[in-house]
Each structure stands twice: as structure tokens, then as C-alpha cells.
Amino acid sequence: MQGLRYLGLALLLGGVAVWGSENFFWTMPPPGITPLDFVFTVIAYSIAAAVGMSVVIWTGVGGVKAAFLGGAIVGYMSEGVIVGTIYQPMPPLFYQVWTPLAWHALVTGGVILGLGRVRFSPGQRVALWGTLGLVGAFWAQYWPSERGALPDAGLFALYLVVLGLLVPLAQVGMDRMGQVPRPRRWVLWVAPGIAALVWGAQGVAEMNPFRLILIPILALLIWVMRRLGGAGPVSLGAGVPVWHHLLFLIAPLVTVVLAPLGWAQGWGTLGANWVVAVVTCVVSVLWLGGLIWSAAQRRQGPA
């Protein structure tokens, strides 16, 4: 039973990760994407989410910091195993932060998942998701220079708003679970084992020694999570009314309404990509630095 709950939670987290790290990041669907492509993307992110979830269960870390640190694990699985963006050597350390830490961990994990599970009032949720929507609309100003052709309004709304239902539905599912499942130990090793085998095969094929950078990064994250964790089951937080979670749709709606207005005004020259990258990189590094400092002050990890 716990194994099935673990699988279910991995799929829920995979759905959140797909919207936050793919749909919201790319703003508009890539050319030629099919429903089957989307299904495979959910599966890939669900495996990455299962790796992060296994570490959360093993370390006992909880709350928003678990969402941020678990999101970082997902980010390094995505950018270091599924694709290889973190192995780009130039500029130094930039791609090791952008996007695994600055987007997957901060935006998808810390904000969309983590803050989405905090018991905010409806007014606070409106403010939170409205702000996220404004960020999305500003970030979207970069993509016309990268993509050229812009999507029609219907496809744009489908990609962000309709598929955005994945996030509140996942949050409702987590409310129903109440606690992170604790399956048999061998179950916790399945997703990390798959990731390790894929990463190892890629390393043999590429023979790129820079790929080894993933090991100390993951070791640091696991050490921090171990030091900040505790014994016993990890709570998913107290549930809230379903309509509170549905307020999340304010974010994609704001983006879908405002982004085209900026495109029409030619705001693509704003350098939105660099503004968002710099701000998110700084914030995510400071957040991780604070967690490292807190972990270093702890005398011992969980029993």
C-alpha cells in the first residue's frame, strides 16, 4: 500500500514539475509537440520527482525547505541526467545554478509547490499567484526573440491555463494523502537506481570528466537535507478547501492576458531573460547558502 502511495505522490509531483519547469518556463508549447510527448515528459519528471522524494523520506526534512531542496534534486536530475545543461563549462558555475537551482528548486519547488502548501488566507494566495503571473508575463517577453512565431490565443491558454490545472489537482491529492508515504527501503532505491544507470551510461558514451560535478552537488544537497531533517514521517501539511488551491490558476491567467500585450508593444528588448536569470540565481543561492549555514550549526542529523 505504501508503495502505491509513493508511486501516486511521484506522479502528482511530476505533474507539478512539468507545469512549473516546462510549461511555465517555456511559456508557449514547442513546435511539433504531441500529447504523447507530454505524457513522456510527465513520466520523466515523475521519475526525477521520485528521486527527490526518496531523499526527503530518507532524511526526514519537511516543509517549504523540503520543497526547495527536493526541487533542487529534481532540477539536477533533469538538467544533469535527462539533459546535460549543467555540464556546459562557460560561463563558470552559471549553468550549475541556472536552471536546476534558480528555476526547478526556487520557482517550481519553493514557490509553486512549497508556498502552495502553506496555509495562506485567500487574499494572500491571490497576491502570491498574481505576483507569479506578473513574473511569468515579464519572463515571456524573452521568447519572441528566441522562438519567432507566437502561438494563437487558444493554444497559449491551453498550454498554460488548462494544463495549469495539474498544479491544484496535485495539491488536492497531497491534501488527501496527509503524509509522505514510507514504502519499503528497496522501493526508495528504484528511481535513484534508474537515474544512476542512465547517468553512468551517458558518462561512458561521452567520456566527459566534467559530468562528475553532479556527484559533489548531490552530496551537498543530501548532507543539508540530512542535517535539517528529523525522525518519523514527513507531513504534507494540513489540507485547505479545494477552491483555495484553484486560486493558483490566477498565475497562468495573468500571464496569458498580459504577455501578448507586451509582445504587441515590442517589449522583447527588455532583456527579460537576464533579469529573471540574475534575480532567481541570486535568490536561490542565498536560500541554499542559508540552509547550508543552518545545517552546519546542527550538531547531528536525524536519529
Side-chain angles (χ1 to χ4, degrees), residues 16-215:
V16 174
V18 166
W19 191 89
S21 295
E22 291 291 318
N23 295 43
F24 191 53
F25 180 84
W26 295 107
T27 303
M28 59 189 79
I33 188 173
T34 67
L36 187 59
D37 293 330
F38 187 78
V39 170
F40 284 139
T41 303
V42 172
I43 293 173
Y45 269 101
S46 296
I47 294 173
V51 176
M53 189 168 58
S54 289
V55 178
V56 167
I57 294 170
W58 179 63
T59 60
V61 66
V64 177
K65 61 179 178 289
F68 173 75
L69 292 167
I73 298 286
V74 173
Y76 287 106
M77 290 296 99
S78 303
E79 307 297 333
V81 178
I82 299 175
V83 295
T85 56
I86 69 169
Y87 307 125
Q88 300 181 52
M90 295 298 290
L93 297 181
F94 176 72
Y95 286 107
Q96 286 75 55
V97 176
W98 175 263
T99 57
L101 198 64
W103 196 281
H104 296 274
L106 177 63
V107 178
T108 302
V111 176
I112 295 174
L113 175 62
L115 294 184
R117 299 209 56 73
V118 174
R119 290 184 64 86
F120 289 130
S121 69
Q124 291 171 321
R125 288 180 181 273
V126 170
L128 171 65
W129 301 134
T131 301
L132 183 66
L134 291 174
V135 171
F138 177 73
W139 166 246
Q141 301 312 304
Y142 165 68
W143 291 114
S145 63
E146 179 78 14
R147 295 282 185 84
L150 301 177
D152 61 63
L155 184 58
F156 192 26
L158 171 64
Y159 193 64
L160 281 188
V161 181
V162 177
L163 292 178
L165 282 167
L166 288 170
V167 175
L169 290 177
Q171 295 284 25
V172 171
M174 284 182 266
D175 284 351
R176 299 295 182 266
M177 284 192 174
Q179 291 182 340
V180 174
R182 297 178 69 89
R184 296 176 182 270
R185 183 165 297 182
W186 68 265
V187 175
L188 299 180
W189 281 101
V190 172
I194 292 172
L197 287 173
V198 172
W199 177 79
Q202 292 170 339
V204 171
E206 295 181 14
M207 297 302 292
N208 177 8
F210 194 54
R211 293 181 62 86
L212 295 174
I213 195 174
L214 185 62
I215 296 176

